[in-house]
Amino acid sequence: MTRLANTPLSVLDLSFVVSGGSGPQALRETIELARHVDALGYERFWVAEHHNLPSVASGAPDVMSGQILAATQRIRVGSGGVMLPNHAPLMVAERFKVLEALYPGRVDLGLGRAPGTDGLTSHALRRRQDVDPGDDFLDRLKELMLWDTGRWPADHPYRNIKVMPVDVKLPPLWLLGSSGYSARLSAQLGVGFAFAHHFAQHDVLDAMLSYRQGFQPSERMEAPHAILALAVVCAPSDEEAEWLAGSVDLSRLKRDRGDYGPIPSPEEAAAYPYSEADRAHIRRGREKVLVGGPEKVAAGLERFLDATLADELMITTPLYDFAAKRRSFELLKALQAAPVDA
């Protein structure tokens, strides 16, 4: 029996706009994908917060989470994540307590430290909040947790403010990270941790293993739970997967050079006039995406699980073709029923 067969699979979807498509289409497809993976038996479905990116339709993970919860039956749904520097902690507490009240036991609150956008847009998001312009993530996180526990100091001015609904606790907290900071902080606080390997520059083993080794049990979580987020393109054959992944390669190439346009089609990717420098950049980028047929993908996932000791895999598949994306998640889930030996 392989590790993959016993490891929960989850989904991260960013509501990517595709070439020739629209924002509303991207949002509808996110909800449809959630229905699809819910029926397949995936563990959870997370949506992200990004701003001022033409390729990403949603900057409101709380709104999208509510829509997805209403459209699904079983799967856990949440934010991957709410970018806490952009929001008043009280507002985050209110919105996610409402979701938890409506869908008890199915909501996750994933929190990120980055603004999820460029500097100017970040300023626009925060300009009416009276805060230090520096990194105040930890202060905001502590405040959010106090809104949940109510354990304010006796002389704190917020002590008598009640977060409604008052008889509902916040859903489980997860810290998201692409460096070692969130891994260490998650371990110290005793909450879940999700590492974004699909774009992180930090060493994945350091982040995942340091979280597990440093974890301190808390009233929120008794044992560590580390999610590894990976970009995966799975198709019936290696050749078809490579064709589909052309969209991923060109999109990453353009994004790394400041062009955040819609996801190109495989045909657009095949026709693009790549330079040798472009092709070298794409080869390096392939270290962040697992591409292949079922056998190749299964072997790759097993290697990640063996090395990182991940408790859960969260898959993102930024493909142009929605039918191919659905099929990729079908093939991944089927690997658990009849896993291919690595």
Side-chain angles (χ1 to χ4, degrees):
M1 184 67 69
T2 65
R3 281 181 55 88
L4 180 58
N6 295 309
T7 300
L9 294 179
S10 296
V11 178
L12 170 66
D13 193 70
L14 273 63
S15 300
F16 278 121
V17 180
V18 301
S19 178
S22 68
Q25 173 190 336
L27 297 174
R28 288 192 296 268
E29 288 184 351
T30 289
I31 296 172
E32 178 55 35
L33 181 63
R35 290 195 189 99
H36 186 59
V37 299
D38 184 25
L40 290 173
Y42 277 75
E43 182 75 10
R44 67 187 87 232
F45 191 100
W46 283 3
V47 289
E49 176 185 345
H50 294 281
H51 304 278
N52 194 34
L53 297 181
S55 58
V56 178
S58 175
D62 51 351
V63 175
M64 284 299 293
S65 293
Q67 294 294 310
I68 294 166
L69 284 159
T72 53
Q73 300 298 319
R74 177 204 54 82
I75 196 167
R76 296 190 66 93
V77 178
S79 56
V82 167
M83 300 295 104
L84 195 53
N86 299 338
H87 307 281
L90 173 58
M91 185 66 73
V92 175
E94 287 180 333
R95 291 175 178 176
F96 276 83
K97 286 182 74 170
V98 167
L99 289 174
E100 180 66 20
L102 293 172
Y103 301 96
R106 290 187 56 205
V107 182
D108 293 323
L109 175 49
L111 300 165
R113 180 183 175 200
T117 189
D118 59 273
L120 181 61
T121 308
S122 176
H123 179 269
L125 285 164
R126 300 181 60 183
R127 77 184 194 278
R128 295 187 184 277
Q129 298 184 47
D130 185 18
V131 296
D132 186 323
D135 184 355
D136 63 344
F137 173 76
L138 185 54
D139 289 340
R140 287 172 180 257
L141 177 59
K142 289 178 178 177
E143 183 179 319
L144 176 64
M145 296 175 78
L146 284 169
W147 286 123
D148 190 36
T149 64
R151 296 170 186 163
W152 300 95
D155 59 347
H156 200 285
Y158 292 169
R159 184 174 178 83
N160 293 321
I161 298 176
K162 304 301 182 185
V163 184
M164 304 302 292
V166 70
D167 52 349
V168 174
K169 301 292 290 182
L170 275 181
L173 295 183
W174 299 82
L175 297 193
L176 317 182
S178 57
S179 69
Y181 174 84
S182 290
R184 295 189 298 271
L185 183 58
S186 301
Q188 178 184 341
L189 296 176
V191 299
F193 173 59
F195 184 75
H197 178 69
H198 55 295
F199 67 81
Q201 299 302 313
H202 189 79
D203 179 61
V204 61
L205 294 183
D206 175 74
M208 296 289 285
L209 298 181
S210 65
Y211 165 72
R212 185 172 301 281
Q213 292 162 1
F215 185 85
Q216 299 177 26
S218 71
E219 62 186 45
R220 293 183 177 275
M221 188 173 282
E222 295 181 356
H225 192 103
I227 297 176
L228 179 61
L230 300 170
V232 178
V233 176
C234 190
S237 67
D238 291 349
E239 294 75 16
E240 184 176 353
E242 287 291 335
W243 168 255
L244 294 169
S247 296
V248 182
D249 294 335
L250 180 54
S251 180
R252 182 183 294 273
L253 175 68
K254 290 186 171 184
R255 187 170 65 250
D256 288 348
R257 296 176 179 177
D259 181 355
Y260 292 89
I263 303 294
S265 68
E267 290 78 10
E268 290 173 299
Y272 189 83
Y274 298 100
S275 67
E276 284 304 312
D278 292 339
R279 296 187 185 282
H281 189 89
I282 287 172
R283 286 193 293 272
R284 291 192 297 271
R286 276 298 184 94
E287 297 175 1
K288 299 297 181 184
V289 57
L290 182 57
V291 178
E295 183 175 355
K296 183 177 180 181
V297 167
L301 294 177
E302 291 287 359
R303 287 193 296 271
F304 273 113
L305 288 168
D306 288 340
T308 67
L309 304 180
D311 299 292
E312 185 174 333
L313 295 176
M314 180 166 281
I315 308 301
T316 185
T317 304
L319 290 180
Y320 169 85
D321 185 83
F322 184 61
K325 179 187 289 191
R326 286 170 50 104
R327 184 179 58 187
S328 182
F329 284 108
E330 291 169 4
L331 292 170
L332 286 176
K333 192 60 180 174
L335 291 175
Q336 292 191 305
V340 180
D341 291 335

